[in-house]
Amino acid sequence: MAATETEKPIIRTSAPPPPHFVLVPLFGQGHTIPMGDLACLLAERGVRVSVVTTPVNAARLQGVADRARRAMLPLEIVELPFPPADDGLPPGSASGDNVIRLFLALYRLAGPLEAYLRALPWRPSCIISDSCNPWTAGVARSVGVPRLFFNGPSCFYSLCRHNVATHGLLHDGGDTAYVVPGMPLRVEMTKETWSAAFLNCMPKWEAFLEDVREGMRTADGAVVNTFLGLEEQFVACYEAGLGKPVWALGPFFLNNRDEQALATRVDKDKPSAVDQSAVTAWLDTMEQSAVIYVCFGSLPRMLLPKQLYEVGHGLVGSGKPFLWVVKESETASPEAQEWLQAFEARTAGKGLVMRGWVSQLAILSHRAIGGFVTHCGWNSLLESVALGVPVVTWPHFGDQFLNELLAVEVLGVGVPVRDAAVTVAPVLRGHIARAVSELMGGGTVAQERRRKCKEYGERAHRAIAKGGSSHQNLTQLLQSFMPSGSKEFLDT
Ligand code: UDP
């Protein structure tokens, strides 16, 4: 059959084509940041990398593009045409309705992605797309390119979700026990956390989530941002469950930590980016490991003024110096703004409140940070553990509940803010004060927690160094998808 204008045939020559990986991230910092780091990781091994995304998301990758230019990495950011009205979440809201609308709008990128791939002089070696971009499955099949999915959460969560889905329990968790089946250890949840973790409380998502599962079933393997020294048994079980390779290549960010790269985590185009040097200057005045850092990730949330007050009072109640990052959406009301100003005046010298976007990696890397109150987004948790900083866990939704369980009960590096892990009870000032004091305290349990976290941090650094498990896994992944004749690039 003759190819049409849009179905340009892919040219094949006798010489091996240059290795080329095409990455398709999802919008949003929590998905785009690790994909940008993965792109650098691949390009540093000498393979050509194209990160293909919408114009708004491409702007978020400017720091990655700058880094690639400085280091002369073979990495480009490719913008696909996408209607500006649909490109990104409405400011100030990451509600489920807005998120699913955007996920579905992204299906319109399938045509432009296919046109881009067909216009390349060679067939790319592999596509790595976020698992929440299931529409890439049809494109990869049509163009004849292998496809891996990138799973953003912990492997522990991915395995729980996989087991729950394959046992048909996404909706009701079985009789009354709410125990995740097929796990190497007992994972017990409540009805509420089951529903929040597996998103079965959002009926509008059902068809989309089925498409995501289908995209995983038809992929050639998975890439995960973790390392064997942290999640080996879950990586092995997930691989067995999926019946295809799972490449643990993380922590991706550890490879991307020169000073300028850290600064690029500050979204310079955001009006909300804070003056990072003021943060560092304040931390420099603090004792080693004395400060508790508080930040709830990248998504705009409507934290009720009441919760804001509980956090503030809880931090003061702990008696520890604090660095608290507050997002614009959390202080949207005049009442909250007024309260926060008075709070800052009252606590000057004991704590620092920053409004907006900070470089979290720079903060977690500072010697003055001794603990982190986190919502347990996987990037935040992984960053903290890999930098040896133990956590107070305060999950809000989705995978965060199981990440909490991993941190508290499996790895032993966290204190749950509520009285127990994996519950949805309201968080009050007393909970925060108790959990922070427990985390930062001097008893043997706290010391043991810090020791374990430090050890995971050392393992993380070993994993990405030459000869480490993540480094070797990347070599194997590249060898699996590279054309023959180009293997000398791989083991640098
Ligand atoms: N982050 C940051 N500055 C901020 C808030 C977040 O650099 O002010 C980064 C953080 O280091 C992490 C990512 O944004 O890499 C957030 O991802 P995570 O998975 O923790 O949470 P999400 O935002 O997806 O809920």
Side-chain angles (χ1 to χ4, degrees):
M1 193 173 70
T4 64
E5 188 76 348
T6 51
E7 287 172 349
K8 202 168 140 210
I10 287 170
I11 299 167
R12 291 173 188 85
T13 62
S14 51
H20 180 199
F21 278 62
V22 174
L23 270 51
V24 191
L26 188 69
F27 64 88
Q29 304 285 7
H31 291 255
T32 301
I33 287 175
M35 272 291 225
D37 288 339
L38 176 62
C40 292
L41 206 55
L42 289 162
E44 277 167 7
R45 294 291 190 98
V47 297
R48 184 178 156 205
V49 181
S50 305
V51 185
V52 181
T53 189
T54 68
V56 164
N57 218 31
R60 294 200 180 106
L61 287 158
Q62 192 51 49
V64 172
D66 291 346
R67 173 163 187 244
R69 238 188 323 275
R70 279 197 309 275
M72 295 200 297
L73 299 177
L75 190 161
E76 60 177 352
I77 311 292
V78 178
E79 285 181 25
L80 296 180
F82 196 62
D86 294 328
D87 200 353
L89 289 167
S93 170
S95 74
D97 277 3
N98 285 330
V99 173
I100 190 68
R101 203 171 303 129
L102 183 49
F103 279 160
L104 297 178
L106 291 174
Y107 280 64
R108 277 183 276 153
L109 287 174
L113 177 63
E114 182 160 346
Y116 162 77
L117 293 171
R118 288 189 179 280
L120 292 170
W122 295 282
R123 188 201 300 262
S125 322
C126 183
I127 294 174
I128 305 180
S129 69
D130 194 293
S131 59
C132 294
N133 284 329
W135 50 270
T136 53
V139 178
R141 205 166 30 244
S142 159
V143 180
V145 176
R147 176 181 57 90
L148 303 177
F149 67 86
F150 165 62
N151 230 12
S154 62
C155 219
F156 178 65
Y157 172 80
S158 299
L159 176 63
C160 288
R161 194 180 166 89
H162 175 82
N163 288 354
V164 165
T166 46
H167 284 78
L169 296 175
L170 277 174
H171 290 281
D172 66 2
D175 301 334
T176 48
Y178 293 94
V179 175
V180 178
M183 294 298 291
L185 47 90
R186 186 173 171 86
V187 178
E188 193 166 351
M189 303 172 75
T190 63
K191 186 176 191 320
E192 292 75 25
T193 50
W194 189 277
S195 149
F198 302 126
L199 299 177
N200 65 18
C201 46
M202 300 195 185
K204 284 187 191 161
W205 286 59
E206 205 155 295
F208 171 73
L209 292 176
E210 180 47 41
D211 213 15
V212 169
R213 284 194 290 278
E214 183 58 21
M216 292 174 169
R217 272 193 289 272
T218 56
D220 297 285
V223 170
V224 286
N225 188 11
T226 189
F227 57 101
L228 296 184
L230 191 75
E231 290 201 277
E232 185 160 16
Q233 59 176 333
F234 308 122
V235 175
C237 293
Y238 191 43
E239 190 163 64
L242 288 175
K244 56 187 73 173
V246 173
W247 312 93
L249 309 178
F252 304 161
F253 80 89
L254 271 188
N255 220 50
N256 192 13
R257 291 187 62 227
D258 63 81
E259 215 149 275
Q260 276 174 308
L262 281 186
T264 61
R265 295 300 190 108
V266 179
D267 195 341
K268 281 183 274 166
D269 299 328
K270 272 193 170 191
S272 59
V274 307
D275 174 6
Q276 193 70 30
S277 57
V279 178
T280 309
W282 184 81
L283 286 174
D284 285 347
T285 65
M286 294 289 151
E287 308 263 298
Q288 170 105 18
S289 306
V291 177
I292 181 86
Y293 164 59
V294 186
C295 179
F296 300 120
S298 66
L299 295 176
R301 286 194 185 83
M302 292 301 166
L303 198 63
L304 299 172
K306 195 173 166 308
Q307 286 169 295
L308 198 75
Y309 309 155
E310 295 302 316
V311 176
H313 287 299
L315 290 174
V316 171
S318 76
K320 304 290 172 202
F322 58 87
L323 168 56
W324 180 15
V325 179
V326 179
K327 292 288 176 275
E328 286 153 328
S329 55
E330 293 168 348
T331 53
S333 73
E335 183 197 354
Q337 279 173 31
E338 212 173 289
W339 180 86
L340 198 60
Q341 268 170 15
F343 176 81
E344 279 182 276
R346 221 170 46 244
T347 56
K350 295 187 202 127
L352 181 68
V353 178
M354 296 309 290
R355 294 171 177 73
W357 184 263
V358 294
S359 173
Q360 180 160 297
L361 279 189
I363 290 171
L364 286 172
S365 307
H366 198 285
R367 55 153 192 83
I369 297 295
F372 178 14
V373 180
T374 172
H375 69 312
C376 298
W378 180 239
N379 295 296
S380 292
L381 190 55
L382 184 66
E383 287 162 6
S384 203
V385 171
L387 293 170
V389 177
V391 289
V392 165
T393 55
W394 181 351
H396 297 196
F397 68 92
D399 60 312
Q400 297 159 11
F401 289 100
L402 286 160
N403 294 341
E404 172 181 61
L405 193 75
L406 177 68
V408 173
E409 287 182 14
V410 182
L411 303 175
V413 298
V415 176
V417 77
R418 299 170 175 104
D419 295 329
V422 208
T423 58
V424 289
V427 173
L428 303 173
R429 60 193 70 183
H431 292 113
I432 297 165
R434 177 206 41 86
V436 171
S437 306
E438 217 175 284
L439 188 83
M440 307 285 281
T444 49
V445 177
Q447 276 168 12
E448 177 60 7
R449 199 180 292 117
R450 278 194 281 277
R451 189 200 61 75
K452 280 188 181 152
C453 201
K454 193 160 167 279
E455 166 153 3
Y456 284 120
E458 285 161 6
R459 288 188 194 180
H461 284 79
R462 283 201 296 275
I464 59 137
K466 192 166 180 184
S469 63
S470 295
H471 189 276
Q472 284 182 354
N473 283 343
L474 182 54
T475 305
Q476 282 168 18
L477 182 154
L478 292 170
Q479 280 168 348
S480 306
F481 293 99
M482 300 250 291
S484 56
S486 34
K487 301 213 185 324
E488 70 275 15
F489 288 103
L490 296 178
D491 208 23
T492 54

